[in-house]
Amino acid sequence: MSSSVASPAAYLRGLRPDWLNNPKVWRTEVLAGLVVALALIPEAISFSIIAGVDPAIGLFASLTMAVVISIVGGRRAMISAATGAVALVIAPLNREHGFGYLVAAVILAGVFQVALGALGVAKLMRFVPRSVMVGFVNALAILIFMAQVPEMHDVPWPVYPLIAGGLALMVFFPKVTTVIPAPLVSIVILTVITVAAGIAVPTVGDKGALPSSLPVPGLPDVPFTMHTLTTIAPYAFAMALVGLMESLMTAKLVDDITETHSSKTRESIGQGIANIVTGFFGGMGGCAMIGQTMINVKVSGARTRLSTFLAGAFLMVLCIVFGPVVSDIPMAALVAVMVMVSFATFDWHSITPKTLKRMPAGEMAVMVITVICVVATHNLAIGVIVGSVTAMIIFAKRVAHLAEVSAVTDPDGSSVVYSVTGELFFASSNDLVGQFDYAGDPKKIIIDLSAAHIWDASSVAALDAIETKYTQRGKTVEITGLNDPSADLHGKLTGELTSH
């Protein structure tokens, strides 16, 4: 007789992560983590230079961010490490007050992120329109490509055929096999070619010295005073907001790519914890990285936390154990990987003639404004905020014209019924007052709101103003047809919004 109760062994297998039960998933995750680790090295070094700190600081931050977020984050397979946006925010603090203040700001930024996550800031993501999301993605693709341009300017001529060869390998190698990620194959082959042939081209080692030991935890070297707190707080809060914005937008993008849901609240809190840990280990902080995340998820096919954890672990192994080998990797190989990521990230469908013809002008304007703001400022948060505000203004302007008023006078001339249709809020209700004939209407006025909805205090104030104008002429007003939410709001606010 078979039993419906699973055996203890089967139960334990069910608790294990997918990558432990599936060798193919294991291989994909391990190789994806290795590719991401290789791609993180020059980026982390570059961002360290932007922040004005030693290259090892950026590499340490990438290690701790990736390892910690793989455990506490809310979005599986997303990569967090040292980023350019965070480096730009904290660079002035490091320049004016020193490295100790930078580390203290990173820790405080983590505390802010935990607090904001607990307060539900992630729920604000629902107010980000799709047009802003498309603009965000396209702007990221442009920024990723633009970041590679300096590596292709004023360099030895062999760099160009190496980049072209790397791109060709990543396009055609998957047609042969997908067992090994094409970016890894490209990096290995181009490195072997340049080293064996003695081709003199810029390498990873030219970006800066790699660390030779693991980071050691400790407290920031700053006086623990109120002056220190007031000095670092503005930078920490700015870093917290920029980091959360980039991380939540990237998480939403990965949700769409993988067709899976992630906890944005957990991701917000996880980002804070990762930055706190990073600060105590002397790192420069960070957030989700769109480029490396796309390498991990879209190019390499990773889907679990293992790839994120291994990206951080491999990063330190590559730097400490295989530092001399990694230093010989030509920058052309990594540039080719990032160019491929840029093309894969861009939403080409959004700019096809067919889409452009069908898309409303307002939606296209929001997308373009988002792209321009992000590319111009190199700040994703500014672009998303400006794009979202623009979308809200366009929406408010569009909806404001949907409120209509029509009047029907009773045959005996004793009353008139005004039927109001549409959404009543600050934009539409401002025009409401002028659509009534206060002098010419009979003694009794009925305002029928059966086909309308009151959203805010401005609408209640407009209805009060209409009543006041009729009352001053000795006429009575009756408001009917309010739905329950509108009636509740009107009942609470009517007569309370003007001074008497």
Side-chain angles (χ1 to χ4, degrees), residues 300-439:
S300 300
R303 292 294 183 271
T304 76
R305 298 178 185 276
L306 178 63
S307 57
T308 306
F309 176 85
L310 289 179
F314 281 148
L315 176 63
M316 278 299 103
V317 172
L318 289 170
C319 292
I320 296 171
V321 181
F322 299 102
V325 177
V326 173
S327 295
D328 288 335
I329 296 175
M331 284 302 298
L334 298 174
V335 168
V337 172
M338 297 310 292
V339 169
M340 181 61 72
V341 169
S342 172
F343 277 87
T345 301
F346 197 92
D347 185 354
W348 296 102
H349 180 265
S350 66
I351 59 171
T352 60
K354 184 178 180 181
T355 302
L356 294 175
K357 287 180 181 178
R358 294 184 176 182
M359 188 70 67
E363 300 280 319
M364 290 302 303
V366 169
M367 184 185 77
V368 171
I369 288 171
T370 303
V371 171
I372 291 174
C373 287
V374 172
V375 173
T377 64
H378 285 230
N379 191 317
L380 301 171
I382 290 177
V384 171
I385 291 172
V386 172
S388 297
V389 170
T390 303
M392 290 177 186
I393 292 172
I394 292 174
F395 173 77
K397 186 177 180 181
R398 185 185 304 156
V399 175
H401 296 297
L402 298 180
E404 298 178 353
V405 178
S406 59
V408 177
T409 304
D410 190 89
D412 61 7
S414 62
S415 65
V416 62
V417 177
Y418 282 94
S419 296
V420 182
T421 304
E423 309 298 322
L424 300 182
F425 65 112
F426 62 90
S428 59
S429 59
N430 287 334
D431 297 329
L432 193 65
V433 178
Q435 299 190 49
F436 292 80
D437 185 5
Y438 302 101

Side-chain angles (χ1 to χ4, degrees), residues 99-139:
F99 180 66
Y101 282 82
L102 181 151
V103 173
V106 170
I107 296 172
L108 183 58
V111 173
F112 282 145
Q113 288 177 330
V114 171
L116 290 170
L119 291 172
V121 70
K123 294 178 181 178
L124 295 176
M125 286 301 296
R126 72 182 67 177
F127 296 106
V128 178
R130 183 185 178 279
S131 53
V132 173
M133 188 68 190
V134 173
F136 167 83
V137 170
N138 291 346

Side-chain angles (χ1 to χ4, degrees), residues 399 402-404 420-426 428-429 432 448-460 463 480-490:
V399 175
L402 298 180
E404 298 178 353
V420 182
T421 304
E423 309 298 322
L424 300 182
F425 65 112
F426 62 90
S428 59
S429 59
L432 193 65
D448 182 9
L449 298 176
S450 301
H453 186 99
I454 298 176
W455 287 104
D456 60 5
S458 296
S459 302
V460 177
L463 292 173
T480 64
L482 288 170
N483 57 36
D484 290 341
S486 299
D488 183 55
L489 183 63
H490 184 265

Side-chain angles (χ1 to χ4, degrees), residues 15 33 47 52 67 72 75 238 285 311 330 369-370 386 458:
L15 292 178
F47 298 147
V67 169
V72 301
R75 173 64 259 176
I369 288 171
T370 303
V386 172
S458 296

Side-chain angles (χ1 to χ4, degrees), residues 13-24:
R13 282 197 300 273
L15 292 178
R16 294 195 304 180
D18 292 341
W19 51 266
L20 278 177
N21 299 324
N22 190 328
K24 184 178 180 181

